[in-house]
Amino acid sequence: MPRCFPWLGGLTGLWLSASASAFTLPDWPPTLELDHTLVQTSLLTRHFDPQPDHNNQQNLIGIELHNPDRWLAGTAWFKNSYNQPTWYVYAGREFPLWQFKDINVRAKLTGGLLHGYKGEYRDKIPLNHLETAPILLPSIGMQWGRLESDLIIFGTAGMMVTAGLRF
């Protein structure tokens, strides 16, 4: 039975209280114009129900390509919860929430394919029959100048804090 985290409810409340205009989508399909690139790494990982075989040092390295309409595509390599090399290839969108002077706060939703949960750990994530599973990852983050940081929630399993630089 998962434990209850009061801050998770607050995070959900912040997400849902964002203005509806922040979630309107621009013309479809997204333009293939590059606005900036984000290179990022993991700083902290915590599992909501820690097990002795869980790895909290993901060593993530990722790259995202962003267009001017806040659409993005990316790939990330990391060590999964069971210390197996894993790839996440994805696309998504940022949703601006608010701005404090030079700090922009935003939500992000990415979806894609996760490959790397193998062997005895193959069934630890849903729909991973071929060792590749579809996933959606919500996050909330901030950008200050060229620096960005995100709090990513990965299902009911845990969370990760990332940081990166824009180019």
Side-chain angles (χ1 to χ4, degrees):
M1 184 83 163
R3 289 186 267 166
C4 179
F5 292 91
W7 57 266
L8 195 56
L11 181 64
T12 303
L14 281 174
W15 190 308
L16 294 174
S17 68
S19 74
S21 66
F23 293 96
T24 59
L25 298 178
D27 293 335
W28 184 259
T31 62
L32 293 177
E33 181 182 349
L34 181 64
D35 182 61
H36 68 275
T37 301
L38 175 65
V39 177
Q40 58 192 343
T41 190
S42 56
L43 299 178
L44 173 75
T45 301
R46 290 292 178 256
H47 289 85
F48 297 143
D49 186 17
Q51 302 296 317
D53 56 350
H54 278 165
N55 167 36
N56 282 322
Q57 298 298 319
Q58 270 55 57
N59 300 323
L60 178 137
I61 184 74
I63 186 167
E64 289 181 355
L65 305 175
H66 292 249
N67 81 357
D69 296 324
R70 298 187 177 270
W71 290 99
L72 61 103
T75 188
W77 178 92
F78 60 97
K79 296 276 189 161
N80 69 27
S81 298
Y82 303 98
N83 215 29
Q84 298 172 316
T86 303
W87 285 94
Y88 177 41
V89 178
Y90 58 94
R93 187 152 193 290
E94 291 183 340
F95 304 95
L97 297 177
W98 61 86
Q99 183 173 359
F100 303 113
K101 298 184 182 180
D102 294 337
I103 298 174
N104 297 308
V105 178
R106 47 125 178 92
K108 189 189 295 184
L109 180 64
T110 64
L113 296 175
L114 185 69
H115 178 78
Y117 282 77
K118 299 178 179 182
E120 65 182 291
Y121 302 112
R122 189 178 82 188
D123 295 328
K124 294 292 184 176
I125 58 174
L127 305 172
N128 192 35
H129 307 297
L130 300 173
E131 296 178 354
T132 299
I135 62 169
L136 289 174
L137 292 177
S139 65
I140 189 161
M142 56 189 266
Q143 179 245 329
W144 178 52
R146 291 182 49 206
L147 300 173
E148 290 199 26
S149 183
D150 284 289
L151 171 65
I152 303 167
I153 306 296
F154 44 99
T156 59
M159 65 178 197
M160 177 188 294
V161 176
T162 64
L165 284 173
R166 303 176 133 211
F167 297 97

